[in-house]
Amino acid sequence: MTLRTYTRLVALVGRPNVGKSSLFNRIIRERKSLVHNEPGVTRDRIFGRAEHNGELFYLCDTGGFEPTSKDNIKIQLVEQAELAIEEAETVIFVVDGREGIHPIDSELIRRLRKSEKNFIVCVNKCDLPKDDIFVEEFRKLGVSKIFPVSAEHNRGMGHLLDAATEIFANSSKIKENDLENPPIKLSIIGRPNVGKSSILNRLVGETRSIVDDRPGTTRDTVDAFLKYHGRELQVIDTAGIRRKSRMADKLERFSAFRSVSCLEESDVSVLVINAEDGATDGDARVAGYAFELRKPILIVVNKWDLIKDKNSKTVNDFTEKLHLDLRYLRYAPVVFVSALENLRVSKLIPLCLDLYDQSNKRNSTSQVNNVLKEVLLKHTPPMVKNKSKRIKFFYATQVGTLPPRFIIFCSHPQDLHFSYKRYFENAFREAFNYKNIPISIIFRERSRSPLDEKGERVKTNKGARFLKDRNYDDDIRSLTNDDMKSLDGSEIEFFDDDLEE
C-alpha cells in the first residue's frame, strides 16, 4: 500500500484569515475548502485539481501559519504548511493587502527563501483597481513577482495563475487516465474524537490529518490517494457528526453537512466507534445516514487497546452487543483496531475493497429470474388484502450497482407486506453472495413501457402508466443513487435526542 504523491503541485501558504481557502475554491472552481470569517478554520492540507490555459495541476490549501504559537494544533498547522512547501513546485504566498506587512509574513518569506522553492506573492483583498496600491508596501519584502488579487470577486486571477503555472511549461503532463478512471472512494465517518484522523494517518503512513484530544479537530474533509495492488483508492477523513443541540456553532454544523455530502459520494463507508463507549446513540445516528444511503459499511471498533482484562470471549460479547444496538447493520463486518498502536489497521483496505467488489457485482437477468423462481417456490406469495387473489410475480432484473439495485415486477406491489419484502432481500443477498452489503429491491407493477438504465420508466406516446407504477411507499429501497445525489445540505436534517451520547 503506497501513498500517491502529487506532481505539478501548487501550494497556498500564509498566516490565518488572509483568504487562502477563498482563493483555493476560486482556482479549483468548487467549494471544497471551508470559508469563514473566524481565523484558523482550515487545519489540514486540502488538495484539489485545477486547470489554467490548458495546464492541469494540483492545488494545496494549508492552515494559517503561526510559528510562535505553543498550541498543539497550531504547531501541527506549521508542520503541515512546511510539508506542503516541501512537496510543491510552486508556492503562492498569500497576504492581506488591507492589513499590510505582518511579522509572520516576514518570517514566512525567510523560510520560503531558505527552501529555495519557486514562489510568488499574492496580495489578496484588492477588490477595486484603487486597492492595487497595497502592492507597493509588500515590495519591501524584496520579491519581484507580486500580484494584486481579489479571490472573492475573481479579480486578477489570470496574471496570478500565469506566473504560478509558468514552471509547468516543460514538465510532464498529468495522465489523462487519472481523469478517466476515478478512484474507489472510502469515507471515514463517526462521532467526534473516536480516532478517525488517527486511522487515516496510519493508512497513509504519514501525518496527513491533524490529531488532537479535543473533539472537532477535523473541520474539512481531508482526502488521501492510495494504491493497493494496482487499485487506486481515495480515503476521506470527515468531520465528526453529533446531534444538532450539541453543535457548537454554524461552522460545526456546516462541517457536519459536508461530512454527510461526502458520504453520499463515497463507495464504501468506514464507521469508527470508540471501544470504551460501545455503540452510542450518536453512533447509531451516524450509521443511520450510511444505512439510508444504502452504502456498504465496515464497522471499525477503535481504541481496542484501552479495553482491559480481555479474554477469548471479549470480541464475541462486544460484537453481539453491537448487533443489538445496531440491529439494522447485522450484515456489516466488524474489525477491532487500535490506531495508536497500529493494531490491525492494515486489514481495513482489503475489507473495504471486498465490500466494494460485492457492491459492484452485476448479475444477468436470467440469473435474477432463476433466483426469483426459487424464492417463490420456498415461500408462496401472499394474498391480496381484502381480495381472493394472490399477488403475481412476473419477472425481475438488476438495474444498477453500488448498491446492487433490483426491480421485481408484480401485481399489487402496494399490498406487499414489509416482512415479505425483507424475505426477498435476505434471499437475494444469500443467493448472489451479497453477505456483507445492503441491496435495494423495488417492487413495481408491470407495464409495457421500457426501463432506462436507472430503472425508471421511459415516457412514450402511448400513454404508459409509468407514474402510477412507482411504489412511493417502498421507503429507502425506492431511491437510486442518482436520487440521493440530488440532495443538498439544506435537505439534510439532524435530529435531536433526549439521551446523551
Side-chain angles (χ1 to χ4, degrees), residues 434-456:
Y434 294 132
K435 295 180 180 179
N436 306 120
I437 63 168
I439 63 174
S440 294
I441 299 181
I442 305 168
F443 295 87
R444 290 198 180 160
E445 189 173 351
R446 185 171 62 170
S447 174
R448 294 183 178 179
S449 55
L451 292 174
D452 61 15
E453 59 182 9
K454 298 178 184 177
E456 298 294 338

mmCIF file with all atom_site columns, all heavy atoms in Angstrom, residues 434-456:
data_model
loop_
_atom_site.group_PDB
_atom_site.id
_atom_site.type_symbol
_atom_site.label_atom_id
_atom_site.label_alt_id
_atom_site.label_comp_id
_atom_site.label_asym_id
_atom_site.label_entity_id
_atom_site.label_seq_id
_atom_site.pdbx_PDB_ins_code
_atom_site.Cartn_x
_atom_site.Cartn_y
_atom_site.Cartn_z
_atom_site.occupancy
_atom_site.B_iso_or_equiv
_atom_site.pdbx_formal_charge
_atom_site.auth_seq_id
_atom_site.auth_comp_id
_atom_site.auth_asym_id
_atom_site.auth_atom_id
_atom_site.pdbx_PDB_model_num
ATOM 1   N N   . TYR A 1 434 ? -24.182 -11.564 -1.570  1.00 0.00 ? 434 TYR A N   1
ATOM 2   C CA  . TYR A 1 434 ? -24.069 -10.214 -1.020  1.00 0.00 ? 434 TYR A CA  1
ATOM 3   C C   . TYR A 1 434 ? -24.142 -10.321 0.508   1.00 0.00 ? 434 TYR A C   1
ATOM 4   O O   . TYR A 1 434 ? -25.080 -9.849  1.149   1.00 0.00 ? 434 TYR A O   1
ATOM 5   C CB  . TYR A 1 434 ? -25.211 -9.330  -1.526  1.00 0.00 ? 434 TYR A CB  1
ATOM 6   C CG  . TYR A 1 434 ? -25.192 -9.055  -3.004  1.00 0.00 ? 434 TYR A CG  1
ATOM 7   C CD1 . TYR A 1 434 ? -26.342 -9.198  -3.775  1.00 0.00 ? 434 TYR A CD1 1
ATOM 8   C CD2 . TYR A 1 434 ? -24.032 -8.632  -3.649  1.00 0.00 ? 434 TYR A CD2 1
ATOM 9   C CE1 . TYR A 1 434 ? -26.342 -8.944  -5.130  1.00 0.00 ? 434 TYR A CE1 1
ATOM 10  C CE2 . TYR A 1 434 ? -24.021 -8.379  -5.008  1.00 0.00 ? 434 TYR A CE2 1
ATOM 11  C CZ  . TYR A 1 434 ? -25.176 -8.533  -5.743  1.00 0.00 ? 434 TYR A CZ  1
ATOM 12  O OH  . TYR A 1 434 ? -25.170 -8.272  -7.091  1.00 0.00 ? 434 TYR A OH  1
ATOM 13  N N   . LYS A 1 435 ? -23.147 -10.949 1.101   1.00 0.00 ? 435 LYS A N   1
ATOM 14  C CA  . LYS A 1 435 ? -23.219 -11.276 2.518   1.00 0.00 ? 435 LYS A CA  1
ATOM 15  C C   . LYS A 1 435 ? -23.084 -10.057 3.417   1.00 0.00 ? 435 LYS A C   1
ATOM 16  O O   . LYS A 1 435 ? -23.689 -9.997  4.483   1.00 0.00 ? 435 LYS A O   1
ATOM 17  C CB  . LYS A 1 435 ? -22.128 -12.292 2.869   1.00 0.00 ? 435 LYS A CB  1
ATOM 18  C CG  . LYS A 1 435 ? -22.305 -13.641 2.185   1.00 0.00 ? 435 LYS A CG  1
ATOM 19  C CD  . LYS A 1 435 ? -21.191 -14.588 2.583   1.00 0.00 ? 435 LYS A CD  1
ATOM 20  C CE  . LYS A 1 435 ? -21.361 -15.950 1.907   1.00 0.00 ? 435 LYS A CE  1
ATOM 21  N NZ  . LYS A 1 435 ? -20.268 -16.885 2.275   1.00 0.00 ? 435 LYS A NZ  1
ATOM 22  N N   . ASN A 1 436 ? -22.268 -9.092  3.007   1.00 0.00 ? 436 ASN A N   1
ATOM 23  C CA  . ASN A 1 436 ? -21.897 -8.006  3.923   1.00 0.00 ? 436 ASN A CA  1
ATOM 24  C C   . ASN A 1 436 ? -22.332 -6.628  3.456   1.00 0.00 ? 436 ASN A C   1
ATOM 25  O O   . ASN A 1 436 ? -21.825 -5.619  3.955   1.00 0.00 ? 436 ASN A O   1
ATOM 26  C CB  . ASN A 1 436 ? -20.369 -8.006  4.121   1.00 0.00 ? 436 ASN A CB  1
ATOM 27  C CG  . ASN A 1 436 ? -19.833 -9.356  4.561   1.00 0.00 ? 436 ASN A CG  1
ATOM 28  O OD1 . ASN A 1 436 ? -19.020 -9.951  3.872   1.00 0.00 ? 436 ASN A OD1 1
ATOM 29  N ND2 . ASN A 1 436 ? -20.293 -9.839  5.695   1.00 0.00 ? 436 ASN A ND2 1
ATOM 30  N N   . ILE A 1 437 ? -23.242 -6.562  2.493   1.00 0.00 ? 437 ILE A N   1
ATOM 31  C CA  . ILE A 1 437 ? -23.627 -5.259  1.953   1.00 0.00 ? 437 ILE A CA  1
ATOM 32  C C   . ILE A 1 437 ? -25.144 -5.138  1.879   1.00 0.00 ? 437 ILE A C   1
ATOM 33  O O   . ILE A 1 437 ? -25.854 -6.143  1.846   1.00 0.00 ? 437 ILE A O   1
ATOM 34  C CB  . ILE A 1 437 ? -23.026 -5.048  0.543   1.00 0.00 ? 437 ILE A CB  1
ATOM 35  C CG1 . ILE A 1 437 ? -23.588 -6.085  -0.434  1.00 0.00 ? 437 ILE A CG1 1
ATOM 36  C CG2 . ILE A 1 437 ? -21.511 -5.074  0.565   1.00 0.00 ? 437 ILE A CG2 1
ATOM 37  C CD1 . ILE A 1 437 ? -23.271 -5.779  -1.879  1.00 0.00 ? 437 ILE A CD1 1
ATOM 38  N N   . PRO A 1 438 ? -25.648 -3.918  1.827   1.00 0.00 ? 438 PRO A N   1
ATOM 39  C CA  . PRO A 1 438 ? -27.090 -3.724  1.624   1.00 0.00 ? 438 PRO A CA  1
ATOM 40  C C   . PRO A 1 438 ? -27.436 -3.816  0.147   1.00 0.00 ? 438 PRO A C   1
ATOM 41  O O   . PRO A 1 438 ? -26.583 -3.567  -0.718  1.00 0.00 ? 438 PRO A O   1
ATOM 42  C CB  . PRO A 1 438 ? -27.317 -2.300  2.147   1.00 0.00 ? 438 PRO A CB  1
ATOM 43  C CG  . PRO A 1 438 ? -26.029 -1.597  1.864   1.00 0.00 ? 438 PRO A CG  1
ATOM 44  C CD  . PRO A 1 438 ? -24.941 -2.637  2.041   1.00 0.00 ? 438 PRO A CD  1
ATOM 45  N N   . ILE A 1 439 ? -28.662 -4.172  -0.154  1.00 0.00 ? 439 ILE A N   1
ATOM 46  C CA  . ILE A 1 439 ? -29.150 -4.154  -1.531  1.00 0.00 ? 439 ILE A CA  1
ATOM 47  C C   . ILE A 1 439 ? -30.494 -3.434  -1.548  1.00 0.00 ? 439 ILE A C   1
ATOM 48  O O   . ILE A 1 439 ? -31.146 -3.277  -0.510  1.00 0.00 ? 439 ILE A O   1
ATOM 49  C CB  . ILE A 1 439 ? -29.291 -5.581  -2.119  1.00 0.00 ? 439 ILE A CB  1
ATOM 50  C CG1 . ILE A 1 439 ? -30.340 -6.379  -1.343  1.00 0.00 ? 439 ILE A CG1 1
ATOM 51  C CG2 . ILE A 1 439 ? -27.947 -6.295  -2.124  1.00 0.00 ? 439 ILE A CG2 1
ATOM 52  C CD1 . ILE A 1 439 ? -30.626 -7.738  -1.951  1.00 0.00 ? 439 ILE A CD1 1
ATOM 53  N N   . SER A 1 440 ? -30.883 -2.967  -2.718  1.00 0.00 ? 440 SER A N   1
ATOM 54  C CA  . SER A 1 440 ? -32.159 -2.270  -2.878  1.00 0.00 ? 440 SER A CA  1
ATOM 55  C C   . SER A 1 440 ? -33.053 -3.065  -3.824  1.00 0.00 ? 440 SER A C   1
ATOM 56  O O   . SER A 1 440 ? -32.625 -3.421  -4.930  1.00 0.00 ? 440 SER A O   1
ATOM 57  C CB  . SER A 1 440 ? -31.939 -0.863  -3.449  1.00 0.00 ? 440 SER A CB  1
ATOM 58  O OG  . SER A 1 440 ? -31.247 -0.063  -2.523  1.00 0.00 ? 440 SER A OG  1
ATOM 59  N N   . ILE A 1 441 ? -34.266 -3.366  -3.376  1.00 0.00 ? 441 ILE A N   1
ATOM 60  C CA  . ILE A 1 441 ? -35.246 -4.073  -4.205  1.00 0.00 ? 441 ILE A CA  1
ATOM 61  C C   . ILE A 1 441 ? -36.481 -3.202  -4.332  1.00 0.00 ? 441 ILE A C   1
ATOM 62  O O   . ILE A 1 441 ? -37.059 -2.780  -3.330  1.00 0.00 ? 441 ILE A O   1
ATOM 63  C CB  . ILE A 1 441 ? -35.609 -5.446  -3.609  1.00 0.00 ? 441 ILE A CB  1
ATOM 64  C CG1 . ILE A 1 441 ? -34.364 -6.335  -3.521  1.00 0.00 ? 441 ILE A CG1 1
ATOM 65  C CG2 . ILE A 1 441 ? -36.673 -6.120  -4.464  1.00 0.00 ? 441 ILE A CG2 1
ATOM 66  C CD1 . ILE A 1 441 ? -34.644 -7.712  -2.965  1.00 0.00 ? 441 ILE A CD1 1
ATOM 67  N N   . ILE A 1 442 ? -36.855 -2.915  -5.560  1.00 0.00 ? 442 ILE A N   1
ATOM 68  C CA  . ILE A 1 442 ? -38.021 -2.089  -5.845  1.00 0.00 ? 442 ILE A CA  1
ATOM 69  C C   . ILE A 1 442 ? -39.105 -2.985  -6.435  1.00 0.00 ? 442 ILE A C   1
ATOM 70  O O   . ILE A 1 442 ? -38.853 -3.717  -7.399  1.00 0.00 ? 442 ILE A O   1
ATOM 71  C CB  . ILE A 1 442 ? -37.666 -0.963  -6.834  1.00 0.00 ? 442 ILE A CB  1
ATOM 72  C CG1 . ILE A 1 442 ? -36.482 -0.148  -6.304  1.00 0.00 ? 442 ILE A CG1 1
ATOM 73  C CG2 . ILE A 1 442 ? -38.869 -0.051  -7.079  1.00 0.00 ? 442 ILE A CG2 1
ATOM 74  C CD1 . ILE A 1 442 ? -35.888 0.795   -7.328  1.00 0.00 ? 442 ILE A CD1 1
ATOM 75  N N   . PHE A 1 443 ? -40.280 -2.944  -5.854  1.00 0.00 ? 443 PHE A N   1
ATOM 76  C CA  . PHE A 1 443 ? -41.416 -3.730  -6.348  1.00 0.00 ? 443 PHE A CA  1
ATOM 77  C C   . PHE A 1 443 ? -42.328 -2.805  -7.136  1.00 0.00 ? 443 PHE A C   1
ATOM 78  O O   . PHE A 1 443 ? -42.785 -1.781  -6.623  1.00 0.00 ? 443 PHE A O   1
ATOM 79  C CB  . PHE A 1 443 ? -42.173 -4.361  -5.185  1.00 0.00 ? 443 PHE A CB  1
ATOM 80  C CG  . PHE A 1 443 ? -41.373 -5.379  -4.427  1.00 0.00 ? 443 PHE A CG  1
ATOM 81  C CD1 . PHE A 1 443 ? -40.544 -4.990  -3.387  1.00 0.00 ? 443 PHE A CD1 1
ATOM 82  C CD2 . PHE A 1 443 ? -41.428 -6.723  -4.775  1.00 0.00 ? 443 PHE A CD2 1
ATOM 83  C CE1 . PHE A 1 443 ? -39.795 -5.925  -2.685  1.00 0.00 ? 443 PHE A CE1 1
ATOM 84  C CE2 . PHE A 1 443 ? -40.682 -7.664  -4.078  1.00 0.00 ? 443 PHE A CE2 1
ATOM 85  C CZ  . PHE A 1 443 ? -39.864 -7.260  -3.035  1.00 0.00 ? 443 PHE A CZ  1
ATOM 86  N N   . ARG A 1 444 ? -42.596 -3.190  -8.385  1.00 0.00 ? 444 ARG A N   1
ATOM 87  C CA  . ARG A 1 444 ? -43.403 -2.333  -9.256  1.00 0.00 ? 444 ARG A CA  1
ATOM 88  C C   . ARG A 1 444 ? -44.437 -3.145  -10.022 1.00 0.00 ? 444 ARG A C   1
ATOM 89  O O   . ARG A 1 444 ? -44.257 -4.334  -10.288 1.00 0.00 ? 444 ARG A O   1
ATOM 90  C CB  . ARG A 1 444 ? -42.505 -1.601  -10.257 1.00 0.00 ? 444 ARG A CB  1
ATOM 91  C CG  . ARG A 1 444 ? -41.635 -0.543  -9.607  1.00 0.00 ? 444 ARG A CG  1
ATOM 92  C CD  . ARG A 1 444 ? -41.108 0.408   -10.616 1.00 0.00 ? 444 ARG A CD  1
ATOM 93  N NE  . ARG A 1 444 ? -40.277 1.400   -9.960  1.00 0.00 ? 444 ARG A NE  1
ATOM 94  C CZ  . ARG A 1 444 ? -39.374 2.132   -10.585 1.00 0.00 ? 444 ARG A CZ  1
ATOM 95  N NH1 . ARG A 1 444 ? -39.179 1.954   -11.867 1.00 0.00 ? 444 ARG A NH1 1
ATOM 96  N NH2 . ARG A 1 444 ? -38.673 3.034   -9.948  1.00 0.00 ? 444 ARG A NH2 1
ATOM 97  N N   . GLU A 1 445 ? -45.458 -2.417  -10.410 1.00 0.00 ? 445 GLU A N   1
ATOM 98  C CA  . GLU A 1 445 ? -46.494 -3.030  -11.245 1.00 0.00 ? 445 GLU A CA  1
ATOM 99  C C   . GLU A 1 445 ? -45.995 -3.129  -12.676 1.00 0.00 ? 445 GLU A C   1
ATOM 100 O O   . GLU A 1 445 ? -45.329 -2.217  -13.167 1.00 0.00 ? 445 GLU A O   1
ATOM 101 C CB  . GLU A 1 445 ? -47.777 -2.191  -11.183 1.00 0.00 ? 445 GLU A CB  1
ATOM 102 C CG  . GLU A 1 445 ? -48.966 -2.860  -11.839 1.00 0.00 ? 445 GLU A CG  1
ATOM 103 C CD  . GLU A 1 445 ? -50.247 -2.082  -11.615 1.00 0.00 ? 445 GLU A CD  1
ATOM 104 O OE1 . GLU A 1 445 ? -50.213 -1.126  -10.801 1.00 0.00 ? 445 GLU A OE1 1
ATOM 105 O OE2 . GLU A 1 445 ? -51.252 -2.418  -12.254 1.00 0.00 ? 445 GLU A OE2 1
ATOM 106 N N   . ARG A 1 446 ? -46.325 -4.233  -13.338 1.00 0.00 ? 446 ARG A N   1
ATOM 107 C CA  . ARG A 1 446 ? -45.821 -4.448  -14.691 1.00 0.00 ? 446 ARG A CA  1
ATOM 108 C C   . ARG A 1 446 ? -46.471 -3.464  -15.660 1.00 0.00 ? 446 ARG A C   1
ATOM 109 O O   . ARG A 1 446 ? -47.652 -3.159  -15.580 1.00 0.00 ? 446 ARG A O   1
ATOM 110 C CB  . ARG A 1 446 ? -46.111 -5.879  -15.146 1.00 0.00 ? 446 ARG A CB  1
ATOM 111 C CG  . ARG A 1 446 ? -45.488 -6.206  -16.512 1.00 0.00 ? 446 ARG A CG  1
ATOM 112 C CD  . ARG A 1 446 ? -45.612 -7.675  -16.836 1.00 0.00 ? 446 ARG A CD  1
ATOM 113 N NE  . ARG A 1 446 ? -47.014 -8.096  -16.922 1.00 0.00 ? 446 ARG A NE  1
ATOM 114 C CZ  . ARG A 1 446 ? -47.395 -9.289  -17.376 1.00 0.00 ? 446 ARG A CZ  1
ATOM 115 N NH1 . ARG A 1 446 ? -46.476 -10.177 -17.738 1.00 0.00 ? 446 ARG A NH1 1
ATOM 116 N NH2 . ARG A 1 446 ? -48.669 -9.605  -17.424 1.00 0.00 ? 446 ARG A NH2 1
ATOM 117 N N   . SER A 1 447 ? -45.660 -2.975  -16.595 1.00 0.00 ? 447 SER A N   1
ATOM 118 C CA  . SER A 1 447 ? -46.154 -2.053  -17.616 1.00 0.00 ? 447 SER A CA  1
ATOM 119 C C   . SER A 1 447 ? -45.402 -2.328  -18.903 1.00 0.00 ? 447 SER A C   1
ATOM 120 O O   . SER A 1 447 ? -44.307 -2.881  -18.899 1.00 0.00 ? 447 SER A O   1
ATOM 121 C CB  . SER A 1 447 ? -45.938 -0.604  -17.166 1.00 0.00 ? 447 SER A CB  1
ATOM 122 O OG  . SER A 1 447 ? -46.287 0.279   -18.214 1.00 0.00 ? 447 SER A OG  1
ATOM 123 N N   . ARG A 1 448 ? -45.982 -1.927  -20.007 1.00 0.00 ? 448 ARG A N   1
ATOM 124 C CA  . ARG A 1 448 ? -45.329 -2.171  -21.306 1.00 0.00 ? 448 ARG A CA  1
ATOM 125 C C   . ARG A 1 448 ? -44.270 -1.142  -21.638 1.00 0.00 ? 448 ARG A C   1
ATOM 126 O O   . ARG A 1 448 ? -43.501 -1.326  -22.567 1.00 0.00 ? 448 ARG A O   1
ATOM 127 C CB  . ARG A 1 448 ? -46.380 -2.170  -22.410 1.00 0.00 ? 448 ARG A CB  1
ATOM 128 C CG  . ARG A 1 448 ? -47.363 -3.340  -22.313 1.00 0.00 ? 448 ARG A CG  1
ATOM 129 C CD  . ARG A 1 448 ? -48.341 -3.337  -23.465 1.00 0.00 ? 448 ARG A CD  1
ATOM 130 N NE  . ARG A 1 448 ? -49.248 -4.463  -23.400 1.00 0.00 ? 448 ARG A NE  1
ATOM 131 C CZ  . ARG A 1 448 ? -50.213 -4.702  -24.269 1.00 0.00 ? 448 ARG A CZ  1
ATOM 132 N NH1 . ARG A 1 448 ? -50.387 -3.871  -25.299 1.00 0.00 ? 448 ARG A NH1 1
ATOM 133 N NH2 . ARG A 1 448 ? -50.995 -5.753  -24.132 1.00 0.00 ? 448 ARG A NH2 1
ATOM 134 N N   . SER A 1 449 ? -44.242 -0.045  -20.931 1.00 0.00 ? 449 SER A N   1
ATOM 135 C CA  . SER A 1 449 ? -43.235 0.975   -21.226 1.00 0.00 ? 449 SER A CA  1
ATOM 136 C C   . SER A 1 449 ? -41.865 0.481   -20.780 1.00 0.00 ? 449 SER A C   1
ATOM 137 O O   . SER A 1 449 ? -41.726 -0.133  -19.726 1.00 0.00 ? 449 SER A O   1
ATOM 138 C CB  . SER A 1 449 ? -43.570 2.285   -20.508 1.00 0.00 ? 449 SER A CB  1
ATOM 139 O OG  . SER A 1 449 ? -43.709 2.066   -19.129 1.00 0.00 ? 449 SER A OG  1
ATOM 140 N N   . PRO A 1 450 ? -40.820 0.724   -21.580 1.00 0.00 ? 450 PRO A N   1
ATOM 141 C CA  . PRO A 1 450 ? -39.479 0.196   -21.268 1.00 0.00 ? 450 PRO A CA  1
ATOM 142 C C   . PRO A 1 450 ? -38.832 0.932   -20.109 1.00 0.00 ? 450 PRO A C   1
ATOM 143 O O   . PRO A 1 450 ? -39.251 2.015   -19.711 1.00 0.00 ? 450 PRO A O   1
ATOM 144 C CB  . PRO A 1 450 ? -38.713 0.423   -22.574 1.00 0.00 ? 450 PRO A CB  1
ATOM 145 C CG  . PRO A 1 450 ? -39.394 1.604   -23.194 1.00 0.00 ? 450 PRO A CG  1
ATOM 146 C CD  . PRO A 1 450 ? -40.847 1.486   -22.839 1.00 0.00 ? 450 PRO A CD  1
ATOM 147 N N   . LEU A 1 451 ? -37.769 0.312   -19.571 1.00 0.00 ? 451 LEU A N   1
ATOM 148 C CA  . LEU A 1 451 ? -36.991 0.904   -18.487 1.00 0.00 ? 451 LEU A CA  1
ATOM 149 C C   . LEU A 1 451 ? -35.697 1.494   -19.038 1.00 0.00 ? 451 LEU A C   1
ATOM 150 O O   . LEU A 1 451 ? -35.111 0.965   -19.988 1.00 0.00 ? 451 LEU A O   1
ATOM 151 C CB  . LEU A 1 451 ? -36.638 -0.154  -17.436 1.00 0.00 ? 451 LEU A CB  1
ATOM 152 C CG  . LEU A 1 451 ? -37.783 -0.743  -16.602 1.00 0.00 ? 451 LEU A CG  1
ATOM 153 C CD1 . LEU A 1 451 ? -37.231 -1.865  -15.748 1.00 0.00 ? 451 LEU A CD1 1
ATOM 154 C CD2 . LEU A 1 451 ? -38.407 0.326   -15.751 1.00 0.00 ? 451 LEU A CD2 1
ATOM 155 N N   . ASP A 1 452 ? -35.241 2.586   -18.433 1.00 0.00 ? 452 ASP A N   1
ATOM 156 C CA  . ASP A 1 452 ? -33.915 3.081   -18.769 1.00 0.00 ? 452 ASP A CA  1
ATOM 157 C C   . ASP A 1 452 ? -32.904 2.407   -17.851 1.00 0.00 ? 452 ASP A C   1
ATOM 158 O O   . ASP A 1 452 ? -33.240 1.564   -17.024 1.00 0.00 ? 452 ASP A O   1
ATOM 159 C CB  . ASP A 1 452 ? -33.849 4.610   -18.662 1.00 0.00 ? 452 ASP A CB  1
ATOM 160 C CG  . ASP A 1 452 ? -34.145 5.114   -17.261 1.00 0.00 ? 452 ASP A CG  1
ATOM 161 O OD1 . ASP A 1 452 ? -34.111 4.290   -16.327 1.00 0.00 ? 452 ASP A OD1 1
ATOM 162 O OD2 . ASP A 1 452 ? -34.409 6.315   -17.101 1.00 0.00 ? 452 ASP A OD2 1
ATOM 163 N N   . GLU A 1 453 ? -31.619 2.793   -17.980 1.00 0.00 ? 453 GLU A N   1
ATOM 164 C CA  . GLU A 1 453 ? -30.565 2.129   -17.219 1.00 0.00 ? 453 GLU A CA  1
ATOM 165 C C   . GLU A 1 453 ? -30.659 2.400   -15.719 1.00 0.00 ? 453 GLU A C   1
ATOM 166 O O   . GLU A 1 453 ? -30.047 1.709   -14.910 1.00 0.00 ? 453 GLU A O   1
ATOM 167 C CB  . GLU A 1 453 ? -29.198 2.573   -17.733 1.00 0.00 ? 453 GLU A CB  1
ATOM 168 C CG  . GLU A 1 453 ? -28.973 4.079   -17.638 1.00 0.00 ? 453 GLU A CG  1
ATOM 169 C CD  . GLU A 1 453 ? -27.646 4.484   -18.201 1.00 0.00 ? 453 GLU A CD  1
ATOM 170 O OE1 . GLU A 1 453 ? -26.976 3.629   -18.815 1.00 0.00 ? 453 GLU A OE1 1
ATOM 171 O OE2 . GLU A 1 453 ? -27.274 5.637   -18.043 1.00 0.00 ? 453 GLU A OE2 1
ATOM 172 N N   . LYS A 1 454 ? -31.436 3.419   -15.327 1.00 0.00 ? 454 LYS A N   1
ATOM 173 C CA  . LYS A 1 454 ? -31.616 3.712   -13.908 1.00 0.00 ? 454 LYS A CA  1
ATOM 174 C C   . LYS A 1 454 ? -32.832 2.996   -13.328 1.00 0.00 ? 454 LYS A C   1
ATOM 175 O O   . LYS A 1 454 ? -33.140 3.139   -12.159 1.00 0.00 ? 454 LYS A O   1
ATOM 176 C CB  . LYS A 1 454 ? -31.784 5.219   -13.703 1.00 0.00 ? 454 LYS A CB  1
ATOM 177 C CG  . LYS A 1 454 ? -30.573 6.026   -14.129 1.00 0.00 ? 454 LYS A CG  1
ATOM 178 C CD  . LYS A 1 454 ? -30.844 7.510   -13.941 1.00 0.00 ? 454 LYS A CD  1
ATOM 179 C CE  . LYS A 1 454 ? -29.675 8.338   -14.445 1.00 0.00 ? 454 LYS A CE  1
ATOM 180 N NZ  . LYS A 1 454 ? -29.954 9.792   -14.326 1.00 0.00 ? 454 LYS A NZ  1
ATOM 181 N N   . GLY A 1 455 ? -33.532 2.249   -14.151 1.00 0.00 ? 455 GLY A N   1
ATOM 182 C CA  . GLY A 1 455 ? -34.711 1.556   -13.676 1.00 0.00 ? 455 GLY A CA  1
ATOM 183 C C   . GLY A 1 455 ? -35.968 2.386   -13.706 1.00 0.00 ? 455 GLY A C   1
ATOM 184 O O   . GLY A 1 455 ? -36.994 1.995   -13.147 1.00 0.00 ? 455 GLY A O   1
ATOM 185 N N   . GLU A 1 456 ? -35.930 3.541   -14.373 1.00 0.00 ? 456 GLU A N   1
ATOM 186 C CA  . GLU A 1 456 ? -37.102 4.413   -14.457 1.00 0.00 ? 456 GLU A CA  1
ATOM 187 C C   . GLU A 1 456 ? -37.858 4.148   -15.753 1.00 0.00 ? 456 GLU A C   1
ATOM 188 O O   . GLU A 1 456 ? -37.282 3.736   -16.766 1.00 0.00 ? 456 GLU A O   1
ATOM 189 C CB  . GLU A 1 456 ? -36.674 5.889   -14.401 1.00 0.00 ? 456 GLU A CB  1
ATOM 190 C CG  . GLU A 1 456 ? -35.985 6.276   -13.106 1.00 0.00 ? 456 GLU A CG  1
ATOM 191 C CD  . GLU A 1 456 ? -36.906 6.212   -11.918 1.00 0.00 ? 456 GLU A CD  1
ATOM 192 O OE1 . GLU A 1 456 ? -38.130 6.285   -12.126 1.00 0.00 ? 456 GLU A OE1 1
ATOM 193 O OE2 . GLU A 1 456 ? -36.433 6.072   -10.779 1.00 0.00 ? 456 GLU A OE2 1
#
